[in-house]
């Protein structure tokens, strides 16, 4: 609304709230044309607000007030009609006592001021409620995002930890199936001679009515396969039960790791220790910076492992095979080192949670290397099957195998 650079006869306040929660307040003074009503002024003000702020075109009106731009009447004069408020005003002097509407405007001014204060208080309370609701919504969104990130990290760690367990279970199930097929071959080999005997015994048994001598090979084969099926079912059930227990243990361990209690760890206020020393200038110093080193030096142990690998000279290739087969356990031990560091960083050490999360990431990466190390031993045995067989299953003893040494 235009006021031509000077205050108008009326002061207005309009507060709007958009659908997205934004609040806009328009205020100022204006001298309306003769004959305008409060509705005309309100309509024009909404039109101007929509033109200046398009987002407020469909906004909800939180507060609207329109009052004369005066605090009290200071001069007398003839009463004139207020076209916007619909009320008659009169001067404080020269009025007739019997005239309707005569008297002082001071009480009316105080009443309008009190009413305006109540309206402004209501407006401020409404704005405060909107802001509080918005803050609660934002805090809830942040908390939900944090929970999703934590759940995703936990699921990722669970997949990495369960991968090796499931791979080992698949190997055991494959061995169980291979064991059954071996028993099938054994049953066929034993039933074949009896099948030849059955060419004679079966017709004789039919003539004599003796069923026990009919199809002896077939009967033996079926009996042995029933036993093999029962044994395989028991083995598979035991393997699957062990897998379920291992996965349950992993979930329980990860659930314990996710309990964030590091926020209760007391943080030190300073890294200085009180001492009674004297500086070269003669002044007394009450604090001296001290840095302590614990006995755990991971880099020293790693350097020793690297040096041992450089100087490693195995007597036989079977020692290398034993070392390769022990790699998964060794790497799992190294990974557990970082898992323990992550747990203690979160619960004991005066460190922030980001440090514990970094140790946890290293633990997950090392656990993936454990799976890769587990594939190396079967590959070693596959490509060196003949060489290994000379040691594990020598022909006519180890001395006889020495004849092939180059």
């Amino acid at each position: 609304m235009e006021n031509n650079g000077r205050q108008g006869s009326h002061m207005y306040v309009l507060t709007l709230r958009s659908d997205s929660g934004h609040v806009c307040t328009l205020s100022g003074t204006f001298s309306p044309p003769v004959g305008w009503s409060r509705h005309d002024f309100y309509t024009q003000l909404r039109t101007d607000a929509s033109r200046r702020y398009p987002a407020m075109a469909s906004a909800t009106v939180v507060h609207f007030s329109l009052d004369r731009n005066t605090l009290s009447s200071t001069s007398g004069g003839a009463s004139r009609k207020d076209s916007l408020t619909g009320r008659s005003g009169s001067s404080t002097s020269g009025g007739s006592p019997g005239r309707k509407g005569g008297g002082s405007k001071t009480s009316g001014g105080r009443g309008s001021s009190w009413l305006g204060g109540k309206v402004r208080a209501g407006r401020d309370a409404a704005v405060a409620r909107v802001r509080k609701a918005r803050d609660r919504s934002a805090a809830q969104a942040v908390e939900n995002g944090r929970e999703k990130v934590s759940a995703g990290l936990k699921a990722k760690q669970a997949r990495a930890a369960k991968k090796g367990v499931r791979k080992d279970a698949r190997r055991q199930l494959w061995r169980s199936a291979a064991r059954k097929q071996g028993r099938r071959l054994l049953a066929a080999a034993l039933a074949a001679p009896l099948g030849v005997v059955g060419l004679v015994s079966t017709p004789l048994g039919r003539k004599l009515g003796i069923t026990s001598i009919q199809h002896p090979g077939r009967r033996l084969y079926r009996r042995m396969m029933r036993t093999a099926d029962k044994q395989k079912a028991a083995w598979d059930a035991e393997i699957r039960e062990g897998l379920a227990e291992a996965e349950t243990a992993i979930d329980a361990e990860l659930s314990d790791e996710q309990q964030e209690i590091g926020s209760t760890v007391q943080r030190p206020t300073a890294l200085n220790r009180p001492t009674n020393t004297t500086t070269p200038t003669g002044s007394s110093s009450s604090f001296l910076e001290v840095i302590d080193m614990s006995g755990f030096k991971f880099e020293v142990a790693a350097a020793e492992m690297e040096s041992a690998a450089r100087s490693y000279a195995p007597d036989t290739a079977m020692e290398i095979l034993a070392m390769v087969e022990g790699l998964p356990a060794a790497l799992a031990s190294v990974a557990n080192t970082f898992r323990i560091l992550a747990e203690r960083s979160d619960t004991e050490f005066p460190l922030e949670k980001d440090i514990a999360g970094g140790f946890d990431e290293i633990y997950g990466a090392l656990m993936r290397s454990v799976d890769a190390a587990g594939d190396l031993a079967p590959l070693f045995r596959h490509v060196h099957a003949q060489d290994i067989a000379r040691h594990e299953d020598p022909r006519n003893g180890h001395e006889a195998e020495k004849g092939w040494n180059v």
Side-chain angles (χ1 to χ4, degrees):
M1 305 292 290
E2 299 292 337
N3 58 11
N4 298 325
R6 62 178 183 177
Q7 295 188 6
S9 61
H10 291 74
M11 180 178 178
Y12 62 88
V13 177
L14 176 65
T15 301
L16 304 173
R17 183 178 65 187
S18 65
D19 297 336
S20 59
H22 295 88
V23 178
C24 175
T25 300
L26 303 176
S27 62
T29 61
F30 178 68
S31 297
V34 178
W36 269 34
S37 64
R38 291 176 61 87
H39 180 71
D40 295 336
F41 183 85
Y42 171 78
T43 304
Q44 183 62 37
L45 187 58
R46 285 299 304 267
T47 302
D48 292 347
S50 301
R51 183 171 61 252
R52 293 172 58 185
Y53 307 104
M56 296 294 172
S58 59
T60 302
V61 177
V62 178
H63 170 72
F64 171 69
S65 64
L66 178 64
D67 300 293
R68 278 193 166 277
N69 190 21
T70 56
L71 296 178
S72 62
S73 178
T74 59
S75 62
S79 172
R80 72 181 187 92
K81 184 74 172 180
D82 187 347
S83 61
L84 295 181
T85 60
R87 295 177 299 177
S88 297
S90 61
S91 63
T92 59
S93 61
S96 173
R99 184 177 180 180
K100 184 179 179 180
S104 174
K105 289 185 179 180
T106 305
S107 61
R110 285 197 301 267
S112 62
S113 178
W114 175 83
L115 181 60
K118 297 293 286 185
V119 170
R120 284 191 294 272
R123 178 198 63 189
D124 295 340
V127 172
R129 285 194 298 270
V130 171
R131 290 177 178 174
K132 188 175 181 180
R134 182 183 59 193
D135 294 341
R136 284 198 304 267
S137 178
Q140 185 64 33
V142 172
E143 184 64 24
N144 293 338
R146 185 182 295 111
E147 292 178 357
K148 289 181 180 179
V149 171
S150 178
L153 178 60
K154 182 178 177 181
K156 183 178 178 181
Q157 293 174 350
R159 287 195 299 269
K162 292 179 181 179
K163 185 177 179 181
V165 177
R166 291 172 179 173
K167 182 177 292 187
D168 184 62
R170 285 196 297 269
R171 291 199 191 99
Q172 295 180 14
L173 290 174
W174 181 85
R175 290 171 187 168
S176 176
R179 194 180 294 115
K180 177 185 176 181
Q181 297 304 321
R183 291 180 177 269
R184 185 188 298 276
L185 294 177
L186 177 62
L190 295 177
L194 292 180
V196 176
V197 175
L199 296 176
V200 179
S201 63
T202 299
L204 182 61
R206 288 174 180 173
K207 289 182 180 182
L208 299 177
I210 303 175
T211 59
S212 59
I213 62 175
Q214 298 178 16
H215 307 292
R218 185 184 304 174
R219 294 158 67 91
L220 176 62
Y221 178 81
R222 289 177 177 175
R223 185 181 301 111
M224 293 184 68
M225 289 308 302
R226 282 196 298 269
T227 303
D229 289 337
K230 292 179 180 179
Q231 291 179 349
K232 182 179 182 299
W235 290 334
D236 293 350
E238 183 178 357
I239 292 170
R240 291 189 173 93
E241 183 178 357
L243 175 61
E245 292 178 355
E247 291 183 346
T248 303
I250 290 173
D251 292 335
E253 183 178 1
L254 290 176
S255 178
D256 293 338
E257 291 177 3
Q258 292 298 321
Q259 293 179 357
E260 298 182 354
I261 61 176
S263 57
T264 62
V265 177
Q266 296 181 356
R267 265 47 175 175
T269 57
L271 296 178
N272 299 325
R273 290 182 178 176
T275 58
N276 293 321
T277 60
T278 304
T279 61
T281 59
S283 60
S284 176
S285 176
S286 60
F287 287 95
L288 176 66
E289 185 175 0
V290 177
I291 300 177
D292 292 337
M293 296 297 293
S294 66
F296 179 68
K297 296 181 176 63
F298 186 79
E299 65 277 8
V300 175
E304 291 178 356
M305 292 177 61
E306 182 181 0
S307 177
R310 292 181 184 277
S311 60
Y312 179 55
D315 295 334
T316 63
M318 294 300 291
E319 291 186 11
I320 302 177
L321 175 60
M323 181 268 294
V324 170
E325 290 179 338
L327 277 179
L331 290 176
S333 180
V334 176
N336 287 332
T337 301
F338 287 93
R339 178 181 61 81
I340 295 172
L341 288 176
E343 293 175 352
R344 300 191 65 187
S345 297
D346 190 34
T347 58
E348 300 179 24
F349 299 154
L351 303 176
E352 298 296 337
K353 295 185 180 296
D354 294 340
I355 305 302
F359 281 127
D360 211 7
E361 289 291 336
I362 297 175
Y363 167 69
L366 290 175
M367 287 302 296
R368 289 189 289 272
S369 68
V370 172
D371 298 335
D375 297 334
L376 184 58
L379 178 62
F380 193 104
R381 285 187 171 275
H382 176 71
V383 298
H384 293 286
Q386 296 181 355
D387 300 326
I388 296 173
R390 292 175 57 191
H391 292 269
E392 295 182 344
D393 189 18
R395 294 164 292 186
N396 299 322
H398 290 284
E399 294 297 329
E401 284 291 350
K402 290 183 179 179
W404 288 97
N405 292 339
V406 178

